[in-house]
Amino acid sequence: MKQYVINKTDLIHNIDIIKDKAGDTRIIAVLKGNGYGIGLCEFAKVLSERGIDFFAVSEVEEAVSLRAGGFSQDILLITALADESEIQTCIECDVIMSATSPESYERISDIARRMSKSAKVHIKVDTGFGRFGFAPDGVDEAWECINKYDNILTLGVYSHFSFSFSPNRRDVESQYEKFVSFTQVLADKGADNLLKHICNSCAFLQYKDMHQDAVRIGSAFLGRIPLTEKYGLRRIGKLRADVAEVRTLPKGHFVGYANTYKTKRETKIAVIPIGYKDGFGVEKSRDTFRVIDVLRYMYHDLLSVGKKNTVEIGGKKCPLIGRISMCNVVADVTGLDVSAGDIAEADANPITLGADVERVYEQ
């Protein structure tokens, strides 16, 4: 047995905190990456039950799955599209696409016209992330597109912060000011009814004055945010597996690959069938921004020396020994009443977990 167990009570707790903090600001729930790893449609169902009526995804297949699952909420695709069949699918499934350039407007319009249908879009503005979107000085082009293509309904305008988890406002203000300027020009020209959104989870939590008309929330629902202040959010989810074997190793016995660990005494071990193929022990790659960020990572690495990964068995924390392998980890359970078949639980980021790990929702 191998499962990732999501505590639904904790998830609802996080949703309610976010709703309370958002107030009248509309919440767009970001469900990319299989709902941040906790199950696309299962996650969407809980959000829907708590009154969230707008979803965002990064893949066309995710939008199709939500529609097939019976979800009628607005869905925004937060990536650029070039493939004709994907644009057709979005139009057929009533998915709001991202208009990222005059060329994308033209492409969407041509395909919609051939289908004898209309399309919906939000304008994406590149205020500094450097991926896709209208340049901040391209507002006149955007206004021209809004008026030129009568088979495209432009419903919103948005951007994305590149460093929203910074505690320093200066790291986000430059992008925010460019976005506000862009949207103000559109409003002055007559597009004053567009839904405006730029905040993701970290910006939403730290900068209330930047909320605009809507906020896009993903990782905060899971309580997994790279901020010192956690705002009362709970980290949800545990990786759960049966203990496969329990045995005793003599003093001086190696454990795991590369002989990096040797027992210092007779040691009772529990072998647990989780490993890096399941995403356990796999960290999201660190983003390097400045020299100070690299130094900060090194500092935290030094602080972590001697600290051990653990699993919990029978309510007791058990240190892992040896390296995490593809399919197994080994826990030191010396002095504990542990047997094969007992349940082991470990913290794991669900976004890194393998698709074959069953997701289970429990109260």
Side-chain angles (χ1 to χ4, degrees):
M1 181 274 293
K2 192 185 304 178
Q3 299 173 329
Y4 190 79
V5 181
I6 297 98
N7 186 309
K8 186 176 177 180
T9 299
D10 286 346
L11 177 56
I12 291 172
H13 167 85
N14 290 349
I15 294 170
D16 289 346
I17 283 180
I18 290 164
K19 286 180 63 178
D20 182 65
K21 191 172 181 64
D24 294 331
T25 302
R26 193 171 184 186
I27 296 172
I28 303 173
V30 181
L31 302 178
K32 62 184 180 181
N34 190 29
Y36 278 80
I38 65 173
L40 176 67
C41 288
E42 297 89 343
F43 190 10
K45 183 175 184 296
V46 178
L47 290 164
S48 181
E49 290 169 349
R50 304 307 292 179
I52 305 297
D53 63 356
F54 202 150
F55 299 146
V57 296
S58 60
E59 305 289 340
V60 175
E61 292 80 4
E62 294 168 335
V64 172
S65 294
L66 287 172
R67 290 290 186 242
F71 295 97
S72 58
Q73 282 88 344
D74 288 338
I75 300 175
L76 171 66
L77 183 72
I78 51 174
T79 191
L81 285 181
D83 184 82
E84 180 173 335
S85 64
E86 290 188 323
I87 294 173
Q88 288 176 342
T89 297
C90 286
I91 294 171
E92 290 167 351
C93 292
D94 191 28
V95 173
I96 303 167
M97 290 171 279
S98 291
T100 59
S101 65
E103 292 76 19
S104 72
Y105 255 105
E106 182 178 10
R107 187 182 307 118
I108 292 169
S109 177
D110 287 347
I111 294 170
R113 185 168 290 108
R114 293 202 300 268
M115 296 172 66
S116 299
K117 292 180 178 291
S118 60
K120 298 176 181 178
V121 302
H122 279 199
I123 294 171
K124 172 66 186 296
V125 188
D126 179 11
T127 56
F129 207 115
R131 293 194 297 203
F132 49 80
F134 284 85
D137 60 2
V139 63
D140 289 337
E141 291 180 320
W143 171 247
E144 181 180 347
C145 289
I146 291 173
N147 289 281
K148 180 178 181 180
Y149 299 105
D150 57 6
N151 63 343
I152 296 179
L153 183 60
T154 302
L155 300 173
V157 55
Y158 76 102
S159 189
H160 189 50
F161 287 124
S162 59
F163 200 7
S164 62
F165 45 90
S166 172
N168 190 336
R169 280 185 63 97
R170 289 177 299 178
D171 292 318
V172 297
E173 278 182 344
S174 174
Q175 282 189 259
Y176 182 71
E177 290 168 1
K178 290 175 183 176
F179 181 68
V180 169
S181 176
F182 191 101
T183 58
Q184 186 59 58
V185 172
L186 284 182
D188 291 344
K189 289 177 176 293
D192 55 357
N193 60 343
L194 302 179
L195 187 76
K196 301 180 292 295
H197 50 105
I198 187 171
C199 284
N200 54 3
S201 288
C202 290
F204 162 72
L205 292 169
Q206 294 192 110
Y207 308 116
K208 184 176 181 179
D209 58 311
M210 299 183 187
H211 284 185
Q212 294 284 312
D213 301 322
V215 290
R216 301 186 307 275
I217 308 298
S219 58
F221 285 127
L222 280 66
R224 295 179 177 273
I225 50 175
L227 301 175
T228 302
E229 171 62 49
K230 301 305 179 184
Y231 300 90
L233 300 171
R234 300 171 183 169
R235 285 168 69 95
I236 68 167
K238 290 285 186 181
L239 181 60
R240 181 183 292 171
D242 294 323
V243 173
E245 184 166 295
V246 175
R247 55 193 293 253
T248 300
L249 301 179
K251 179 181 177 180
H253 198 293
F254 288 117
V255 177
Y257 286 112
N259 293 347
T260 57
Y261 184 89
K262 183 188 289 187
T263 57
K264 299 175 178 61
R265 51 168 166 72
E266 184 176 83
T267 304
K268 182 179 179 181
I269 64 165
V271 182
I272 304 157
I274 57 175
Y276 60 77
K277 82 173 182 64
D278 306 305
F280 180 69
V282 178
E283 295 184 6
K284 292 172 68 178
S285 62
R286 288 171 169 174
D287 295 320
T288 301
F289 305 96
R290 305 163 300 181
V291 172
I292 188 63
D293 295 306
V294 177
L295 293 174
R296 187 180 296 116
Y297 292 145
M298 292 170 64
Y299 172 71
H300 286 295
D301 284 345
L302 287 172
L303 289 181
S304 69
V305 170
K307 293 183 179 180
K308 295 182 179 293
N309 290 322
T310 63
V311 296
E312 188 171 299
I313 305 174
K316 302 289 186 180
K317 288 191 179 298
C318 308
L320 299 183
I321 57 177
R323 288 186 174 182
I324 296 171
S325 64
M326 179 181 286
C327 301
N328 297 284
V329 294
V330 176
D332 184 344
V333 294
T334 304
L336 300 178
D337 182 17
V338 176
S339 303
D342 288 350
I343 301 298
E345 292 186 336
D347 182 52
N349 189 334
I351 200 69
T352 66
L353 294 183
D356 59 336
V357 177
E358 181 186 11
R359 272 66 168 177
V360 176
Y361 280 69
E362 292 184 353
Q363 291 295 130

